[in-house]
């Protein structure tokens, strides 16, 4: 978010400023406010980047789909490629040397899911209902045990959920990990606009604001001191993932090793992808295209920006040409973020906009209104826009069932119920690869609920050393 204007604020100067920006409505309730609320309102308004809002709106219109005349598929690495063992060994070396941090972006508002509270506190697993944060914490614990070094965990929150997130970790005793190995960093916020471009009021004396997108993580890493903390601990790479995917491999040695072994030097930012389910699937696609600087770069093109002809194009074997669906998992070099954010005044990712429902203050009734249709414009920046600023970037394709079961919506696609099915499917595939008989329905889906704790196994091969049954009973629950 652009820096605020910091001249002494008086009512008159603020009125003039608001008038110049077409935002006079923000002082419409001034006369009805008690003195202390008036001071609070003036100071909140002074913090808003009012002069930049029009330019931010214009920017969101200008870059959608730009550079796609030159788009090509991105070359991808695969988990079964010839030299995979070497890359995995390299990633394990980084973990043993304590050079890897986990980085979760958990500042989103989770409006589609409708869970009250930070999304990381949502009960996500199939049988025991472990919260997402616990799932990741247990993976980190297991990896720390395996590699004999701590893996510090950086969690991006927002000013709207920071206190609750910290309290959740504290109340759960940091899930058995050292408190000192956690770093919470709140991201920035941007004003939320109505559909006419005016700042919405959340309260009579409070303009509405929303977190500035997962792209805000790069600024937040610098501003919070997290980058300095990483450098002081000798961390060279962050394993970046979203809070909503219980199947994510929080640290994946093969991916980290591949990232670190890019030709010429370590890559700066790498990505994982899964083959798209079909041409219409609503995921961003990793591809090569002209970037903002005119160079051909690796980019994520949002599904809504990918022209239909390209989305549906198929190669000789019938596979979609643009099928590298992004799962929002990245390896990001600490030196890369340090370079980008060295001068925060000069670093910005482009703004995107989303039209969403936002509760607002209604002066007529003095109440908060929950709108029944989208009424607001939210600005967000996307972390994958940093890809095109990277000198070197790799993509690893990974099987969808191994790593991707996001919880986004209350019902249907990407709902908790859908994620549970996928979690059971992965657990079943791990058991089957260890010789266990798993009941399946006529359509091939698993006819049981299965949950494997990260403390039991981080991957299928780990089950070889664990006491497991020879078969799973049809319709039964199994927790390992
Ligand atoms: P999404 O955009 O899918 O989820 O974010 P959301 O914003 O939480 O949910 P909706 O759109 O309101 O329903 C993907 C990931 O990026 C994080 C989220 O927490 C999630 O891990 N994120 C998103 C942030 O950390 N900050 C943001 O400003 C936005």
């Amino acid at each position: 978010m652009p820096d605020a204007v910091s001249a002494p604020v008086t009512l008159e100067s603020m009125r003039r400023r608001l008038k110049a920006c077409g935002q006079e409505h923000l002082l419409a309730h001034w006369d009805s406010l008690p003195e202390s609320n008036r001071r609070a309102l003036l100071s909140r308004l002074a913090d808003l980047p009012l002069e930049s809002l029009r330019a931010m709106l214009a920017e969101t219109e200008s870059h959608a789909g730009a550079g796609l005349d030159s788009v090509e598929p991105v070359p991808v690495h695969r988990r079964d490629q010839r030299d995979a063992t070497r890359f995995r060994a390299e990633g394990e070396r980084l973990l043993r040397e304590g050079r890897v941090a986990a980085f979760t972006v958990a500042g989103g508002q989770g409006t589609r899911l409708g869970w009250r509270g930070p999304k990381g506190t949502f009960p996500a697993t199939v049988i025991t209902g472990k919260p997402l944060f616990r799932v990741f914490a247990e993976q980190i614990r297991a990896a720390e045990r395996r590699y004999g070094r701590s893996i510090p965990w950086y969690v991006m929150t927002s000013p709207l959920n920071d206190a609750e997130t910290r309290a959740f970790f504290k109340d759960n005793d940091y899930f058995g990990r050292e408190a000192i190995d956690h770093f919470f960093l709140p991201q920035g916020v941007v004003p939320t606009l109505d559909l006419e471009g005016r700042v919405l009021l959340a309260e009579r004396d409070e303009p509405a604001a929303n977190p500035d997108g997962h792209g805000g993580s790069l600024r937040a890493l610098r501003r919070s001191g997290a980058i300095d903390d990483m450098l002081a601990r000798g961390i060279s790479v962050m394993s970046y993932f979203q809070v909503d995917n219980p199947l994510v491999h929080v640290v994946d040695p093969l991916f980290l090793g591949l990232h670190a072994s890019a030709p010429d030097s370590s890559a700066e930012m790498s990505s994982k992808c899964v083959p798209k389910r079909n041409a219409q699937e609503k995921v961003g696609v990793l591809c090569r295209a002209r970037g903002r600087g005119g160079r051909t770069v690796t980019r994520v093109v949002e599904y809504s920006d990918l022209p239909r002809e390209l989305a549906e194009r198929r190669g000789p074997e019938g596979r979609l040409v643009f099928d590298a669906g992004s799962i929002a998992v990245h390896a990001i070099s600490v030196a890369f973020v340090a370079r980008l954010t060295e001068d925060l005044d000069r670093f910005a990712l482009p703004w995107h906009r989303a039209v969403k429902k936002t509760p607002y203050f209604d002066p007529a009734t003095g109440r908060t209104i929950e709108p029944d249709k989208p009424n607001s414009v939210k600005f967000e920046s996307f972390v994958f826009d940093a890809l095109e600023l990277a000198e070197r970037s790799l993509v690893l394709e990974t099987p969808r069932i191994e790593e991707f079961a996001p919880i986004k919506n209350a019902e249907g696609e990407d709902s908790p119920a859908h994620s549970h099915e996928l979690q059971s499917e992965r657990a079943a595939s791990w058991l089957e690869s260890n010789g266990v008989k798993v009941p399946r329905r006529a359509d091939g889906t698993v006819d049981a609920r299965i949950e494997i704790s990260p403390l039991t196994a981080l991957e299928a091969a780990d089950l070889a050393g664990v006491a497991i049954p020879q078969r799973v009973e049809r319709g039964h629950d199994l927790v390992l």
Side-chain angles (χ1 to χ4, degrees), residues 60 63 302 350-354 378-382 384-385:
T60 63
H63 56 67
E302 287 188 82
W351 290 109
H352 300 255
R353 67 159 107 174
K378 290 186 174 180
F379 291 109
E380 285 189 326
S381 62
F382 297 152
F384 53 71
D385 280 327

Side-chain angles (χ1 to χ4, degrees), residues 55-338:
M56 287 162 72
L57 271 177
E59 184 189 322
T60 63
E61 273 156 18
S62 68
H63 56 67
L68 292 187
D69 47 335
S70 64
V71 68
E72 288 168 20
V74 68
V76 299
H77 292 262
R78 300 214 155 76
R79 301 198 84 88
D80 56 359
Q81 70 188 44
R82 207 163 24 92
D83 37 9
T85 320
R86 177 164 66 83
F87 293 128
R88 186 176 163 120
E90 174 60 14
E92 288 175 338
R93 185 178 68 80
L94 293 174
L95 285 156
R96 274 197 306 275
E97 289 177 359
R99 290 173 54 196
V100 178
F103 180 32
T104 312
V105 285
Q109 292 176 290
T111 39
R112 285 169 290 171
L113 182 62
W115 172 248
R116 288 173 60 88
K119 212 193 236 185
T121 65
F122 183 78
T125 62
V126 183
I127 300 165
T128 67
K130 273 181 205 166
L132 286 153
F133 282 136
R134 178 175 284 281
V135 175
F136 308 139
E138 290 185 354
Q139 280 199 48
I140 297 174
R141 259 175 75 191
E144 287 176 328
R145 214 164 52 193
R146 175 167 303 177
Y147 299 108
R149 288 296 285 260
S150 71
I151 299 172
W153 188 7
Y154 297 78
V155 180
M156 183 170 84
T157 61
S158 86
L160 313 175
N161 70 12
D162 183 71
E164 243 185 297
T165 304
R166 288 174 197 252
F168 190 71
F169 274 77
K170 197 154 183 266
D171 293 347
N172 283 282
D173 210 9
Y174 296 88
F175 310 103
R177 299 183 61 249
E178 297 288 337
I180 196 174
D181 285 333
H182 296 80
F183 193 120
F184 298 92
L185 47 138
Q187 66 181 112
V189 292
V190 257
T192 308
L193 308 184
D194 68 14
L195 299 178
E196 276 76 52
R198 301 180 318 164
V199 177
L200 272 179
L201 277 175
E203 299 289 342
R204 199 183 289 269
D205 60 350
E206 190 179 336
N210 58 272
D212 59 0
H214 41 64
S217 57
L218 303 184
R219 292 182 83 78
L221 281 167
R222 168 64 82 175
R223 229 182 6 220
S224 63
I227 286 293
D228 291 337
D229 188 71
M230 288 182 192
L231 291 170
R233 287 172 184 254
I235 304 291
S236 60
V237 61
M238 304 168 224
S239 182
Y240 169 106
F241 58 96
Q242 302 192 155
V243 76
D244 54 18
N245 180 12
L247 285 191
V248 72
H249 286 250
V250 166
V251 288
D252 174 353
L254 170 54
F255 182 47
L256 294 167
L258 189 66
H259 171 84
S261 315
D264 299 334
S265 176
S266 164
E268 291 193 311
M269 180 165 174
S270 299
S271 313
K272 277 191 185 175
C273 71
V274 297
K276 275 180 69 172
R277 266 202 213 104
N278 52 50
Q280 290 74 36
E281 188 182 357
K282 292 182 173 175
V283 290
V285 171
L286 282 147
C287 59
R288 299 279 295 166
R290 234 184 19 258
R292 294 192 293 287
R295 251 180 351 127
T296 297
V297 288
T298 298
R299 281 177 50 183
V300 172
V301 177
E302 287 188 82
Y303 62 86
S304 47
D305 292 339
L306 190 66
R308 191 166 157 189
E309 187 275 317
L310 294 180
E312 293 180 349
R313 189 181 289 176
R314 291 188 184 270
E317 288 139 34
R319 186 170 165 159
L320 291 172
V321 171
F322 292 97
D323 83 335
S326 170
I327 56 168
V329 173
H330 301 283
I332 306 178
S333 291
V334 178
F336 174 54
V337 181

